[in-house]
Amino acid sequence: MTYEPDPRRWKALAVSLTAGFMGLLDVSIVNVALPSMQSGLHASSGGIRWVVSGYALAFGLVLVTGGRLGDAFGRRNMFLGALAAFVLTSALAGAAPNETTLVLARLAQGVAAGMLTPQNTGLIQDLFRGAERGRAFGMFGAVVGISTAVGPILGGFIIAVFGSQDGWRWVFYVNVPIGVLAFVLALRLLPRSERKQLKISSEIDFVGIVLLAVTVLGVLLPVVDADQGGLAHMWWLFAVALVFGVAFVRWEHSVVRRGRSPLLDTRLFTGTPGYAAGAAVGALYFCGFAGIWLVFAMYFQQGLGYSPLQSGLSVTPFALGSAVSAAVAGRLVPRFGRRLTVTGLGMVAAGLLAVALLAELVPPSASGWAFALPLVFAGVGGGMVISPNTTLTLECVPVRMAGVAGGALQTGQRIGTAIGTAVLASVFGMVLGRGYPVALTVALGCAAVLTCGALALAVAELRARRHRASEEDRKAPETETSAADVHRG
């Protein structure tokens, strides 16, 4: 079948990325609003913690399921349904009269965001080909990176505008008008999905959904509750996760052998070049990258007495560098490939180490300005990681599995985010007795080590790509020679 590009594809991408940005932004934007929520609702610290943790858990639990449902029932249908649910649950969270309602609304909001996010990668696979796909994934990578970095800035700004008493409600309300506009535009611009006659029992792998949910829950629950002793009290859930993870893989293998539709086709990892390595690079990078924002927030707000807005503005250089380089890097993927990721990871590690060193050398009062240049450098590197890695990881994935492949990739990143945030926050707290600069130095050093781990994986994947290319070049003359012999014969 000849590929005919949809003339509205770039407008459709803008709408889908706007909605995806909201869902990813809500992972981090509420952090600066937690004190306002606690005082406004007279809530317990444990309950307020679940406003963040519950969203992250629900988000991570349904990503792969959301991708599979998009593959089965159509991206447009899933996108519209998930976006409508996200807008509704955002309004419910903003209007919550008490702690329990807020936590339940956030759980539901996390489910909606988890169903919405994988439709973005699926739509990109559907709508774009060749170099355009690289550009589209570059924009998606920018959204992923910026949403994480800009959350504290926007949250602090909203609190500053609407006041500390009720400002937290507008952190959720702001999603409503943007979401409604995105929904209206999506109705007009997103391509209609082909109608399929589906049998729920055969198309939806309910056993796989349960096994994967328990696996992800077993990993995330102790981690997101780490600051309250979750690792010490719930360590046994890691063993449960391992058992259910093995059972999930075996079950998915059996589903494929029987010719039915699996939740996560394991051939993605064994038969799709670059997918397994790219997913591992993304998960490990997010371990180091996502956790630094909480560390910076504690350093600037608790250590230096910055307001939430001032704290967010102090890390803006990283967000700006990442935004620019992600869009550019997406266009350079066809030319430079995995070398972009390797270079970017090296820049992130070097930038974080430079900030760690400056934290010890410059007076704390000057740290905001002193950190700006290395944060820009690290941000430029970060933009060269997320979008190229997403493109390279998904480039060989069949379109029919695009949604579930994107969901699995995002699940790894969410697990990496949860683990990295818990580890870096714990390291920061353990050495805090020696002063905030020392705590920041040690935590950022750990983040740099995690980033170097992702760098090692990326280098190994680069060598594997070069080996595959050399093998293809070697076989090409043999094939031509064989064809010539047949012709002569």
Side-chain angles (χ1 to χ4, degrees):
M1 179 182 288
T2 303
Y3 165 66
E4 295 183 4
D6 190 319
R8 300 176 299 177
R9 62 193 180 280
W10 291 107
K11 293 180 180 179
L13 178 66
V15 173
S16 70
L17 291 185
T18 298
F21 179 82
M22 290 192 301
L24 292 166
L25 182 70
D26 267 51
V27 175
S28 61
I29 193 174
V30 300
N31 287 320
V32 297
L34 293 182
S36 176
M37 292 180 197
Q38 190 166 3
S39 62
L41 293 177
H42 305 289
S44 65
S45 58
I48 289 299
R49 186 177 68 253
W50 271 96
V51 171
V52 177
S53 302
Y55 184 87
L57 274 173
F59 194 117
L61 280 172
V62 302
L63 276 166
V64 174
T65 303
R68 177 68 191 106
L69 291 173
D71 292 339
F73 294 105
R75 322 257 190 246
R76 185 178 189 271
N77 297 332
M78 282 301 301
F79 182 91
L80 292 172
L83 178 57
F86 185 80
V87 170
L88 177 61
T89 52
S90 295
L92 290 174
N98 53 54
E99 171 188 326
T100 302
T101 304
L102 179 59
V103 171
L104 292 175
R106 282 287 282 176
L107 287 169
Q109 189 188 31
V111 171
M115 291 288 182
L116 178 65
T117 298
Q119 311 315 320
N120 284 296
T121 52
L123 284 167
I124 289 173
Q125 295 281 71
D126 286 346
L127 293 173
F128 299 95
R129 298 288 187 275
E132 281 193 344
R133 184 178 289 177
R135 290 174 57 193
F137 274 126
M139 297 172 69
F140 176 71
V143 166
V144 174
I146 296 171
S147 64
T148 304
V150 84
I153 305 171
L154 288 181
F157 178 77
I158 291 172
I159 296 295
V161 170
F162 292 99
S164 59
Q165 185 65 25
D166 290 319
W168 67 269
R169 296 186 182 276
W170 288 96
V171 168
F172 301 116
Y173 284 149
V174 73
N175 291 329
V176 176
I178 299 174
V180 169
L181 178 61
F183 186 90
V184 173
L185 292 174
L187 281 173
R188 296 180 55 190
L189 297 173
L190 293 189
R192 291 190 176 276
S193 308
E194 295 182 6
R195 292 185 178 274
K196 301 179 182 180
Q197 297 297 324
L198 298 177
K199 294 181 179 179
I200 298 297
S201 59
S202 61
E203 287 287 343
I204 305 303
D205 180 12
F206 291 104
V207 174
I209 289 173
V210 173
L211 291 174
L212 181 62
V214 176
T215 302
V216 176
L217 188 65
V219 173
L220 288 182
L221 189 58
V223 170
V224 298
D225 209 32
D227 59 338
Q228 298 295 317
L231 292 175
H233 298 127
M234 291 184 285
W235 59 267
W236 53 271
L237 283 176
F238 290 123
V240 173
L242 178 61
V243 171
F244 275 80
V246 171
F248 172 73
V249 172
R250 292 175 65 87
W251 172 260
E252 296 301 285
H253 277 309
S254 70
V255 171
V256 171
R257 285 197 304 269
R258 285 179 282 150
R260 297 178 61 186
S261 299
L263 175 66
L264 177 59
D265 195 328
T266 52
R267 290 173 294 186
L268 276 172
F269 297 93
T270 58
T272 305
Y275 184 82
V281 168
L284 192 52
Y285 172 64
F286 268 76
C287 274
F289 156 72
I292 65 175
W293 310 117
L294 178 58
V295 168
F296 275 126
M298 291 189 292
Y299 173 77
F300 285 119
Q301 294 185 44
Q302 299 175 6
L304 303 186
Y306 282 21
S307 69
L309 180 58
Q310 290 173 322
S311 175
L313 291 174
S314 297
V315 296
T316 300
F318 189 105
L320 292 176
S322 179
V324 174
S325 66
V328 175
R331 303 186 180 192
L332 298 178
V333 172
R335 182 177 178 184
F336 296 103
R338 182 58 73 181
R339 286 175 290 174
L340 279 173
T341 311
V342 170
T343 303
L345 287 166
M347 292 176 65
V348 173
L352 293 179
L353 288 174
V355 175
L357 182 62
L358 288 172
E360 287 290 304
L361 297 179
V362 302
S365 58
S367 59
W369 292 105
F371 295 168
L373 186 59
L375 282 178
V376 169
F377 185 79
V380 171
M384 294 167 63
V385 174
I386 298 175
S387 55
N389 186 64
T390 302
T391 303
L392 296 169
T393 303
L394 299 175
E395 65 179 351
C396 296
V397 172
V399 172
R400 63 184 175 80
M401 294 193 292
V404 71
L409 183 63
Q410 284 282 321
T411 299
Q413 293 175 2
R414 297 282 73 79
I415 291 175
T417 297
I419 293 174
T421 301
V423 168
L424 296 186
S426 298
V427 169
F428 185 90
M430 284 190 294
V431 296
L432 189 57
R434 299 169 60 185
Y436 279 93
V438 174
L440 181 65
T441 296
V442 174
L444 292 183
C446 290
V449 169
L450 291 168
T451 304
C452 287
L455 175 60
L457 290 176
V459 170
E461 214 278 301
L462 175 61
R463 291 177 176 173
R465 282 176 175 268
R466 288 175 174 172
H467 178 71
R468 289 197 299 269
S470 64
E471 286 291 312
E472 291 173 0
D473 291 340
R474 183 180 62 80
K475 291 179 180 179
E478 295 178 0
T479 303
E480 292 173 3
T481 301
S482 300
D485 291 341
V486 171
H487 180 71
R488 285 194 298 268

Short mmCIF file of all heavy atoms in Angstrom, two decimals, residues 334-378:
data_model
loop_
_atom_site.label_atom_id
_atom_site.label_comp_id
_atom_site.label_asym_id
_atom_site.label_seq_id
_atom_site.Cartn_x
_atom_site.Cartn_y
_atom_site.Cartn_z
N PRO A 334 18.20 10.85 11.59
CA PRO A 334 18.55 10.05 10.41
C PRO A 334 20.03 10.14 10.04
O PRO A 334 20.59 9.22 9.45
CB PRO A 334 17.65 10.64 9.31
CG PRO A 334 16.51 11.26 10.03
CD PRO A 334 17.11 11.79 11.30
N ARG A 335 20.67 11.26 10.36
CA ARG A 335 22.07 11.45 9.97
C ARG A 335 23.05 10.89 10.99
O ARG A 335 24.04 10.25 10.63
CB ARG A 335 22.34 12.95 9.77
CG ARG A 335 23.76 13.28 9.33
CD ARG A 335 23.92 14.76 9.08
NE ARG A 335 25.28 15.10 8.69
CZ ARG A 335 25.70 16.34 8.48
NH1 ARG A 335 24.85 17.36 8.60
NH2 ARG A 335 26.95 16.58 8.13
N PHE A 336 22.79 11.12 12.27
CA PHE A 336 23.76 10.75 13.29
C PHE A 336 23.36 9.54 14.13
O PHE A 336 24.19 8.94 14.80
CB PHE A 336 24.04 11.95 14.22
CG PHE A 336 24.68 13.11 13.52
CD1 PHE A 336 23.93 14.23 13.19
CD2 PHE A 336 26.02 13.09 13.21
CE1 PHE A 336 24.51 15.31 12.53
CE2 PHE A 336 26.62 14.16 12.57
CZ PHE A 336 25.86 15.27 12.23
N GLY A 337 22.07 9.20 14.15
CA GLY A 337 21.62 8.00 14.85
C GLY A 337 21.96 7.98 16.32
O GLY A 337 21.85 8.97 17.05
N ARG A 338 22.44 6.81 16.77
CA ARG A 338 22.70 6.58 18.19
C ARG A 338 23.83 7.46 18.73
O ARG A 338 23.93 7.68 19.94
CB ARG A 338 23.01 5.10 18.41
CG ARG A 338 23.27 4.67 19.82
CD ARG A 338 22.11 4.99 20.74
NE ARG A 338 20.96 4.11 20.55
CZ ARG A 338 19.84 4.23 21.23
NH1 ARG A 338 19.70 5.19 22.14
NH2 ARG A 338 18.83 3.41 21.01
N ARG A 339 24.66 8.01 17.85
CA ARG A 339 25.73 8.89 18.31
C ARG A 339 25.18 10.12 19.03
O ARG A 339 25.83 10.66 19.94
CB ARG A 339 26.60 9.33 17.13
CG ARG A 339 27.53 8.24 16.59
CD ARG A 339 28.27 8.72 15.37
NE ARG A 339 27.37 8.85 14.23
CZ ARG A 339 27.73 9.36 13.05
NH1 ARG A 339 28.96 9.80 12.87
NH2 ARG A 339 26.86 9.45 12.06
N LEU A 340 23.99 10.56 18.64
CA LEU A 340 23.36 11.68 19.34
C LEU A 340 23.10 11.34 20.80
O LEU A 340 23.37 12.14 21.71
CB LEU A 340 22.04 12.04 18.66
CG LEU A 340 22.09 12.92 17.41
CD1 LEU A 340 20.71 13.02 16.80
CD2 LEU A 340 22.64 14.29 17.73
N THR A 341 22.55 10.14 21.02
CA THR A 341 22.25 9.72 22.39
C THR A 341 23.51 9.61 23.22
O THR A 341 23.55 10.05 24.38
CB THR A 341 21.51 8.36 22.38
OG1 THR A 341 20.45 8.41 21.46
CG2 THR A 341 20.96 8.04 23.75
N VAL A 342 24.55 9.01 22.66
CA VAL A 342 25.82 8.85 23.37
C VAL A 342 26.39 10.22 23.74
O VAL A 342 26.81 10.46 24.89
CB VAL A 342 26.81 8.05 22.52
CG1 VAL A 342 28.20 8.07 23.13
CG2 VAL A 342 26.33 6.61 22.35
N THR A 343 26.40 11.14 22.79
CA THR A 343 26.91 12.49 23.06
C THR A 343 26.07 13.20 24.13
O THR A 343 26.60 13.82 25.05
CB THR A 343 26.91 13.33 21.77
OG1 THR A 343 27.69 12.67 20.78
CG2 THR A 343 27.49 14.72 22.02
N GLY A 344 24.75 13.09 24.01
CA GLY A 344 23.87 13.75 24.97
C GLY A 344 24.04 13.23 26.39
O GLY A 344 24.09 14.01 27.35
N LEU A 345 24.15 11.92 26.54
CA LEU A 345 24.34 11.34 27.87
C LEU A 345 25.65 11.79 28.47
O LEU A 345 25.73 12.07 29.68
CB LEU A 345 24.28 9.81 27.78
CG LEU A 345 22.90 9.20 27.55
CD1 LEU A 345 23.00 7.74 27.15
CD2 LEU A 345 22.03 9.34 28.79
N GLY A 346 26.70 11.88 27.66
CA GLY A 346 27.97 12.38 28.16
C GLY A 346 27.86 13.82 28.63
O GLY A 346 28.45 14.20 29.66
N MET A 347 27.10 14.65 27.89
CA MET A 347 26.93 16.05 28.28
C MET A 347 26.13 16.17 29.58
O MET A 347 26.46 17.00 30.44
CB MET A 347 26.22 16.81 27.16
CG MET A 347 27.05 16.97 25.90
SD MET A 347 26.14 17.78 24.55
CE MET A 347 25.87 19.42 25.25
N VAL A 348 25.08 15.35 29.74
CA VAL A 348 24.29 15.38 30.97
C VAL A 348 25.16 15.01 32.17
O VAL A 348 25.15 15.70 33.20
CB VAL A 348 23.08 14.44 30.88
CG1 VAL A 348 22.36 14.37 32.22
CG2 VAL A 348 22.11 14.92 29.81
N ALA A 349 25.93 13.93 32.05
CA ALA A 349 26.79 13.50 33.15
C ALA A 349 27.82 14.59 33.50
O ALA A 349 28.03 14.90 34.68
CB ALA A 349 27.50 12.20 32.79
N ALA A 350 28.43 15.19 32.47
CA ALA A 350 29.43 16.24 32.72
C ALA A 350 28.79 17.47 33.36
O ALA A 350 29.36 18.07 34.29
CB ALA A 350 30.11 16.61 31.40
N GLY A 351 27.59 17.85 32.88
CA GLY A 351 26.92 19.02 33.46
C GLY A 351 26.54 18.82 34.91
O GLY A 351 26.71 19.71 35.75
N LEU A 352 26.03 17.62 35.25
CA LEU A 352 25.66 17.34 36.63
C LEU A 352 26.88 17.31 37.54
O LEU A 352 26.84 17.81 38.68
CB LEU A 352 24.91 16.00 36.71
CG LEU A 352 23.53 15.96 36.05
CD1 LEU A 352 22.92 14.57 36.19
CD2 LEU A 352 22.59 17.00 36.65
N LEU A 353 27.98 16.75 37.05
CA LEU A 353 29.22 16.73 37.85
C LEU A 353 29.74 18.15 38.06
O LEU A 353 30.28 18.47 39.13
CB LEU A 353 30.27 15.87 37.16
CG LEU A 353 30.03 14.35 37.20
CD1 LEU A 353 31.07 13.62 36.36
CD2 LEU A 353 30.08 13.84 38.65
N ALA A 354 29.60 19.01 37.04
CA ALA A 354 30.03 20.40 37.19
C ALA A 354 29.20 21.12 38.26
O ALA A 354 29.74 21.87 39.09
CB ALA A 354 29.91 21.13 35.85
N VAL A 355 27.87 20.90 38.26
CA VAL A 355 27.02 21.50 39.30
C VAL A 355 27.40 20.97 40.68
O VAL A 355 27.47 21.72 41.66
CB VAL A 355 25.54 21.24 39.00
CG1 VAL A 355 24.66 21.76 40.15
CG2 VAL A 355 25.12 21.89 37.69
N ALA A 356 27.66 19.66 40.76
CA ALA A 356 28.07 19.06 42.03
C ALA A 356 29.35 19.69 42.55
O ALA A 356 29.48 19.95 43.76
CB ALA A 356 28.25 17.55 41.85
N LEU A 357 30.30 19.97 41.67
CA LEU A 357 31.56 20.60 42.08
C LEU A 357 31.34 22.04 42.51
O LEU A 357 31.88 22.49 43.53
CB LEU A 357 32.55 20.52 40.92
CG LEU A 357 33.95 21.10 41.17
CD1 LEU A 357 34.65 20.33 42.29
CD2 LEU A 357 34.78 21.06 39.89
N LEU A 358 30.53 22.78 41.73
CA LEU A 358 30.28 24.19 42.06
C LEU A 358 29.54 24.34 43.39
O LEU A 358 29.72 25.34 44.10
CB LEU A 358 29.47 24.84 40.94
CG LEU A 358 30.22 25.10 39.63
CD1 LEU A 358 29.26 25.57 38.55
CD2 LEU A 358 31.31 26.15 39.86
N ALA A 359 28.70 23.36 43.73
CA ALA A 359 27.98 23.43 45.01
C ALA A 359 28.94 23.49 46.19
O ALA A 359 28.61 24.06 47.24
CB ALA A 359 27.05 22.23 45.15
N GLU A 360 30.13 22.91 46.01
CA GLU A 360 31.13 22.93 47.07
C GLU A 360 32.02 24.16 47.01
O GLU A 360 32.60 24.57 48.02
CB GLU A 360 32.01 21.67 46.97
CG GLU A 360 31.33 20.39 47.39
CD GLU A 360 31.09 20.36 48.90
OE1 GLU A 360 32.05 20.52 49.66
OE2 GLU A 360 29.92 20.23 49.30
N LEU A 361 32.15 24.77 45.83
CA LEU A 361 33.14 25.83 45.64
C LEU A 361 32.56 27.24 45.77
O LEU A 361 33.27 28.15 46.19
CB LEU A 361 33.80 25.69 44.26
CG LEU A 361 34.61 24.40 44.03
CD1 LEU A 361 35.18 24.39 42.62
CD2 LEU A 361 35.74 24.30 45.05
N VAL A 362 31.29 27.44 45.37
CA VAL A 362 30.73 28.80 45.38
C VAL A 362 29.88 29.00 46.63
O VAL A 362 29.35 28.04 47.20
CB VAL A 362 29.88 29.06 44.12
CG1 VAL A 362 30.71 28.85 42.86
CG2 VAL A 362 28.64 28.18 44.11
N PRO A 363 29.74 30.24 47.10
CA PRO A 363 28.86 30.51 48.25
C PRO A 363 27.42 30.13 47.91
O PRO A 363 26.98 30.32 46.77
CB PRO A 363 29.00 32.02 48.45
CG PRO A 363 30.26 32.40 47.76
CD PRO A 363 30.42 31.45 46.62
N PRO A 364 26.67 29.59 48.86
CA PRO A 364 25.28 29.20 48.58
C PRO A 364 24.43 30.32 48.00
O PRO A 364 23.58 30.08 47.15
CB PRO A 364 24.76 28.76 49.96
CG PRO A 364 25.98 28.30 50.68
CD PRO A 364 27.08 29.21 50.23
N SER A 365 24.68 31.55 48.42
CA SER A 365 23.87 32.67 47.92
C SER A 365 24.07 32.91 46.43
O SER A 365 23.21 33.50 45.77
CB SER A 365 24.23 33.94 48.69
OG SER A 365 25.62 34.24 48.55
N ALA A 366 25.20 32.46 45.87
CA ALA A 366 25.48 32.66 44.45
C ALA A 366 25.23 31.41 43.63
O ALA A 366 25.49 31.40 42.42
CB ALA A 366 26.93 33.11 44.27
N SER A 367 24.73 30.36 44.25
CA SER A 367 24.63 29.08 43.55
C SER A 367 23.64 29.12 42.40
O SER A 367 23.84 28.45 41.37
CB SER A 367 24.26 27.97 44.54
OG SER A 367 23.02 28.25 45.17
N GLY A 368 22.54 29.87 42.53
CA GLY A 368 21.56 29.93 41.46
C GLY A 368 22.16 30.38 40.15
O GLY A 368 21.93 29.79 39.10
N TRP A 369 22.97 31.45 40.21
CA TRP A 369 23.62 31.96 39.01
C TRP A 369 24.77 31.05 38.59
O TRP A 369 24.99 30.83 37.39
CB TRP A 369 24.14 33.38 39.23
CG TRP A 369 23.05 34.38 39.39
CD1 TRP A 369 22.62 34.99 40.54
CD2 TRP A 369 22.21 34.89 38.35
NE1 TRP A 369 21.58 35.84 40.29
CE2 TRP A 369 21.31 35.81 38.94
CE3 TRP A 369 22.14 34.68 36.97
CZ2 TRP A 369 20.35 36.50 38.21
CZ3 TRP A 369 21.19 35.37 36.23
CH2 TRP A 369 20.30 36.26 36.85
N ALA A 370 25.51 30.52 39.54
CA ALA A 370 26.66 29.67 39.23
C ALA A 370 26.25 28.39 38.52
O ALA A 370 26.99 27.87 37.68
CB ALA A 370 27.43 29.35 40.50
N PHE A 371 25.07 27.88 38.86
CA PHE A 371 24.61 26.63 38.26
C PHE A 371 24.06 26.79 36.86
O PHE A 371 23.87 25.81 36.14
CB PHE A 371 23.52 25.99 39.13
CG PHE A 371 23.96 25.56 40.49
CD1 PHE A 371 23.02 25.20 41.45
CD2 PHE A 371 25.30 25.50 40.83
CE1 PHE A 371 23.41 24.79 42.72
CE2 PHE A 371 25.71 25.10 42.10
CZ PHE A 371 24.76 24.75 43.04
N ALA A 372 23.79 28.03 36.44
CA ALA A 372 23.04 28.26 35.20
C ALA A 372 23.74 27.66 33.98
O ALA A 372 23.13 26.93 33.19
CB ALA A 372 22.81 29.75 34.99
N LEU A 373 25.03 27.95 33.80
CA LEU A 373 25.74 27.50 32.60
C LEU A 373 25.85 25.98 32.53
O LEU A 373 25.52 25.39 31.48
CB LEU A 373 27.12 28.16 32.52
CG LEU A 373 27.91 27.89 31.24
CD1 LEU A 373 27.12 28.39 30.02
CD2 LEU A 373 29.28 28.57 31.30
N PRO A 374 26.30 25.29 33.58
CA PRO A 374 26.33 23.82 33.49
C PRO A 374 24.94 23.20 33.34
O PRO A 374 24.81 22.14 32.72
CB PRO A 374 27.01 23.38 34.79
CG PRO A 374 26.92 24.53 35.71
CD PRO A 374 26.91 25.75 34.85
N LEU A 375 23.90 23.85 33.88
CA LEU A 375 22.55 23.31 33.69
C LEU A 375 22.10 23.46 32.25
O LEU A 375 21.42 22.58 31.71
CB LEU A 375 21.56 24.01 34.64
CG LEU A 375 21.57 23.56 36.10
CD1 LEU A 375 20.59 24.37 36.92
CD2 LEU A 375 21.25 22.07 36.22
N VAL A 376 22.46 24.57 31.59
CA VAL A 376 22.16 24.72 30.17
C VAL A 376 22.86 23.61 29.38
O VAL A 376 22.28 22.98 28.49
CB VAL A 376 22.59 26.11 29.66
CG1 VAL A 376 22.55 26.15 28.13
CG2 VAL A 376 21.70 27.19 30.23
N PHE A 377 24.15 23.40 29.70
CA PHE A 377 24.94 22.37 29.02
C PHE A 377 24.29 20.99 29.20
O PHE A 377 24.12 20.24 28.23
CB PHE A 377 26.36 22.38 29.58
CG PHE A 377 27.30 21.43 28.89
CD1 PHE A 377 27.86 21.77 27.67
CD2 PHE A 377 27.63 20.21 29.45
CE1 PHE A 377 28.74 20.92 27.02
CE2 PHE A 377 28.50 19.34 28.82
CZ PHE A 377 29.05 19.70 27.60
N ALA A 378 23.92 20.68 30.45
CA ALA A 378 23.27 19.39 30.72
C ALA A 378 21.91 19.31 30.03
O ALA A 378 21.51 18.25 29.53
CB ALA A 378 23.11 19.19 32.22
#
